[in-house]
Amino acid sequence: MPVIVAVSIVAGILIGTFYANHFSGNRLGIINTSSNKLNALLRIIDDQYVDTVNMGELVEDAMPQILGELDPHSSYIPAKDLEAVNSDLKGSFSGIGIQFTIQQDTIHINSVIQGGPSEKVGLMPGDRIIEVDDSVFVGKIVNNYEAMKKLKGPKGSEVKLGIFRPGEKETLHFTIVRGDIPVKSVDAAYMLNDKFGYIKVNKFGETTYPELLIALAKLNQSNCEGVVIDLRGNTGGYMGAAIQMVNEFLPKNKLIVYTQGRKSPRENYNSNGTGSSQKMPIVVLMDEGSASASEIFAGAIQDNDRGTIIGRRSFGKGLVQQPIDFSDGSAIRLTIARYYTPSGRCIQKPYVKGNDANYEMDILTRYEHGEFFSQDSIKQDESHIYYTSIGRPVYGGGGIMPDIFVPQDTTGVTSYYRMAVNRGLITQFAFQYTDTHRAELQKYDTEEALLKYIKGQNILEKFASFAESRGLKRRNILMYKSQKLFDMHLYGNIIYNMQGMEAYIEYLNKSDKPVLKALEILEKGEAFPKAPEEPIEPKVDDEGTKKATAQADSTRKEPSRHHRINDEVRCFA
């Protein structure tokens, strides 16, 4: 009997294997679930498709398409890109400690990070990297991706560089041990005048909150009486970092944000009353590049009537992504909930499931409709009216609407100026000028002293000759009509190249209209919003969220413009 049973089992396995191998196509008839159907499809392609298929590549190509059918922000990150994506928010990466640009197919070192591996071995601003690990690295193969791939690497690993240094006849060789390179979230923290300070935050990462505390402590040492928080161009990051930062400015038990999704029950995030700046006047600057965590910060300040928001309408990203890692080093960012401001607003702008071209083009559409230049061009959805803590009407349905609108400044913009910017000629000239005159420029250690020097160097004329040599025909009337813009950005880029980001921002802020408006609000003591003269009593929904009655009679003000560094990519390694 045992022998018969054993033989029967073996025969059954052999018969089952035979039919599985020869009639696998028929298995689709008994597959009921979509996930099994997808797995079956991949097996069938691998088993029966006419040509050889790289299944790994097929899956890699399919992952973004599948997630793209859900919403605009669920995404797939291949293993080769995950470290770069994470390092930007983690506050550090492993590399050699330089900032570089690529000019004429060659890596030019723009600055060397203080205390980093490159500074320790003697690399200098103005050096050109022409060899990496004993191989020539110049020409068409040089791009930002390849450069960072070669220069970044595991902590403790070595890279050999061949350096061309102006004034040296021979190639210089350095062996650099890679180390942890900090990635700053706070670009600038300084006093605008003797009373009010300014902090520029470029993202919300793991180190952003401690950087903010350091910035506030620095300002407080100068007896700061109010602060401007600049979130223009800040595309967001970690929600937790935004919550920690807002907590510094709110009294105890104020709702900061809440999240809710199909599988994620409502979760409230409240202030704990430990903030160091609960009574400090605050103004927040925003624009269409301010998204996600930036909108959490601004929404909490606005809905709690804690400060004034100045700038253009923000991006409108109110979706929460959960990072999920795979064993091969890749990951997905899956939308699991929406976040809501204290008044109950979901500020996610509308989208259509799938690859929504209109969503991708939204910023351009806003520009073409004139939203950057006139508050009358901004149409709020009257069905999404909510109320702040003192009864001010605010709107959901697409971004945070600022309290004060400062239109984008187009004074002096000409076709000649636009072409110079679009072709990257301003940045190219500033880099070349800095590189050629580095020894002279290094004599000036403050932004004021450096600016005074370069103002006497006839920079605009030199730029015009440079631009003409690059194919941009000289147009004197248009050039001098745009002189203030040219001067601002030519001087600013030279200052940036020599003295870094904070000096650059400090220089531009002297003529930046939103910053000047923020300073005016602080000077007048108007940073704390006032209740409307005839507030409308809001209704309270089933979840305790204040929502407006129909036909709220509101007067609303709106947003501003933003300066950026511009028309080229500066990379770190």
Side-chain angles (χ1 to χ4, degrees):
M1 185 62 69
V3 173
I4 293 172
V5 172
V7 171
S8 299
I9 292 172
V10 171
I13 292 173
L14 292 174
I15 292 169
T17 302
F18 173 81
Y19 279 98
N21 289 335
H22 288 82
F23 301 102
S24 57
N26 294 330
R27 288 179 295 178
L28 284 177
I30 60 171
I31 292 171
N32 295 316
T33 68
S34 297
S35 59
N36 284 340
K37 189 174 182 179
L38 186 59
N39 290 332
L41 175 62
L42 293 173
R43 288 197 302 269
I44 292 167
I45 291 172
D46 191 31
D47 185 49
Q48 298 183 26
Y49 187 65
V50 60
D51 296 319
T52 301
V53 177
N54 185 321
M55 297 304 293
E57 289 184 2
L58 184 63
V59 171
E60 290 290 301
D61 292 341
M63 292 285 279
Q65 298 297 322
I66 293 172
L67 291 169
E69 293 298 318
L70 301 177
D71 64 77
H73 298 292
S74 290
S75 61
Y76 173 69
I77 306 171
K80 65 182 179 65
D81 299 328
L82 187 60
E83 182 182 357
V85 171
N86 286 339
S87 65
D88 193 46
L89 294 176
K90 287 186 177 297
S92 68
F93 63 89
S94 179
I96 65 173
I98 62 169
Q99 186 193 58
F100 67 88
T101 58
I102 296 174
Q103 304 280 340
Q104 298 176 336
D105 299 327
T106 303
I107 297 174
H108 290 62
I109 297 178
N110 195 54
S111 63
V112 179
I113 295 174
Q114 187 175 3
S118 292
E119 185 188 56
K120 291 177 181 177
V121 301
L123 262 62
M124 299 172 59
D127 286 348
R128 279 81 154 155
I129 298 176
I130 58 175
E131 296 176 4
V132 179
D133 289 330
D134 299 321
S135 298
V136 174
F137 192 62
V138 294
K140 298 298 183 183
I141 62 170
V142 180
N143 56 47
N144 290 324
Y145 174 77
E146 290 296 329
M148 287 189 285
K149 188 169 73 171
K150 287 183 175 291
L151 298 178
K152 289 183 176 181
K155 181 179 180 180
S157 60
E158 293 184 348
V159 59
K160 298 178 182 179
L161 300 182
I163 298 295
F164 168 76
R165 180 171 293 167
E168 297 286 343
K169 295 182 179 179
E170 302 293 332
T171 299
L172 306 177
H173 292 91
F174 299 88
T175 298
I176 304 174
V177 178
R178 297 182 178 98
D180 289 333
I181 309 302
V183 179
K184 294 180 65 177
S185 301
V186 175
D187 284 335
Y190 70 96
M191 294 296 290
L192 291 167
N193 57 24
D194 60 350
K195 293 173 63 178
F196 303 113
Y198 170 92
I199 299 174
K200 169 68 175 175
V201 183
N202 64 57
K203 59 180 165 289
F204 290 84
E206 288 185 1
T207 64
T208 307
Y209 176 58
E211 286 183 53
L212 174 73
L213 295 181
I214 293 170
L216 288 171
K218 175 184 173 182
L219 298 181
N220 285 330
Q221 288 178 351
S222 300
N223 300 316
C224 180
E225 298 178 17
V227 66
V228 178
I229 303 292
D230 192 345
L231 300 181
R232 291 175 295 176
N234 185 322
T235 56
Y238 296 136
M239 182 176 72
I243 291 170
Q244 287 179 308
M245 289 176 61
V246 177
N247 188 67
E248 284 301 301
F249 299 98
L250 291 178
K252 190 174 182 179
N253 290 330
K254 293 293 185 179
L255 181 60
I256 295 172
V257 67
Y258 69 90
T259 61
Q260 193 168 14
R262 183 176 66 92
K263 293 289 187 177
S264 301
R266 173 167 172 162
E267 184 171 2
N268 292 345
Y269 297 86
N270 296 306
S271 56
N272 60 20
T274 62
S276 62
S277 305
Q278 296 180 37
K279 296 183 179 180
M280 178 181 285
I282 179 174
V283 174
V284 180
L285 304 183
M286 301 193 75
D287 68 2
E288 68 284 344
S290 306
S292 190
S294 292
E295 295 171 302
I296 291 176
F297 186 97
I301 294 295
Q302 188 176 57
D303 286 5
N304 285 294
D305 297 294
R306 177 60 184 81
T308 297
I309 313 298
I310 297 176
R312 294 194 293 269
R313 179 164 64 104
S314 64
F315 182 85
K317 180 184 179 296
L319 302 177
V320 182
Q321 279 73 51
Q322 171 72 41
I324 302 172
D325 296 334
F326 294 120
S327 59
D328 67 347
S330 62
I332 63 172
R333 299 289 186 264
L334 185 67
T335 298
I336 61 167
R338 291 179 173 84
Y339 71 74
Y340 299 81
T341 68
S343 66
R345 290 183 287 170
C346 177
I347 48 81
Q348 172 63 42
K349 60 187 176 184
Y351 64 89
V352 177
K353 286 188 177 182
N355 297 311
D356 186 356
N358 291 330
Y359 189 90
E360 299 297 328
M361 298 296 290
D362 176 63
I363 300 301
L364 179 60
T365 301
R366 292 192 206 179
Y367 178 87
E368 291 175 343
H369 287 175
E371 183 176 319
F372 295 175
F373 315 108
S374 170
Q375 73 179 72
D376 292 335
S377 299
I378 306 169
K379 305 301 181 185
Q380 293 286 10
D381 187 345
E382 298 294 332
S383 66
H384 290 84
I385 306 176
Y386 298 81
Y387 280 86
T388 69
S389 60
I390 61 174
R392 294 188 302 138
V394 288
Y395 294 83
I400 297 292
M401 202 64 184
D403 303 308
I404 297 176
F405 177 75
V406 182
Q408 186 177 43
D409 188 3
T410 58
T411 306
V413 175
T414 62
S415 58
Y416 180 80
Y417 173 77
R418 282 199 207 93
M419 286 189 284
V421 170
N422 292 339
R423 297 183 188 182
L425 295 175
I426 292 176
T427 307
Q428 292 174 31
F429 169 80
F431 183 89
Q432 187 182 94
Y433 182 87
T434 304
D435 205 41
T436 305
H437 299 83
R438 195 175 296 275
E440 181 65 27
L441 297 173
Q442 284 176 335
K443 296 177 182 178
Y444 306 96
D445 57 0
T446 66
E447 178 255 318
E448 293 85 355
L450 180 57
L451 179 61
K452 183 178 179 180
Y453 170 76
I454 58 181
K455 278 185 173 180
Q457 301 307 304
N458 204 13
I459 297 294
L460 183 55
E461 283 294 324
K462 293 175 181 177
F463 168 77
S465 299
F466 170 86
E468 194 160 32
S469 71
R470 298 297 193 277
L472 180 59
K473 185 179 178 180
R474 185 184 181 114
R475 305 284 299 276
N476 283 338
I477 294 177
L478 296 180
M479 182 176 74
Y480 284 107
K481 186 176 180 180
S482 299
Q483 182 169 2
K484 287 185 178 180
L485 286 174
F486 275 117
D487 287 348
M488 181 173 67
H489 291 292
L490 288 168
Y491 298 164
N493 274 275
I494 294 170
I495 290 170
Y496 175 83
N497 291 336
M498 291 303 301
Q499 298 181 352
M501 178 66 80
E502 182 161 295
Y504 170 83
I505 290 174
E506 187 171 351
Y507 165 69
L508 290 187
N509 280 350
K510 291 176 181 177
S511 59
D512 185 88
K513 289 188 176 181
V515 172
L516 297 178
K517 185 64 178 179
L519 196 53
E520 177 189 333
I521 294 297
L522 289 170
E523 291 279 10
K524 290 181 177 180
E526 297 176 354
F528 291 96
K530 296 179 180 178
E533 293 182 2
E534 297 181 1
I536 298 175
E537 185 64 28
K539 291 182 178 179
V540 178
D541 66 16
D542 294 337
E543 295 181 347
T545 298
K546 291 182 179 180
K547 189 171 182 179
T549 55
Q551 284 131 33
D553 183 17
S554 68
T555 56
R556 67 184 190 277
K557 306 176 184 176
E558 283 132 18
S560 92
R561 76 174 176 95
H562 173 49
H563 58 256
R564 288 189 182 87
I565 303 183
N566 50 15
D567 34 14
E568 75 148 28
V569 178
R570 292 180 170 96
C571 299
F572 288 89

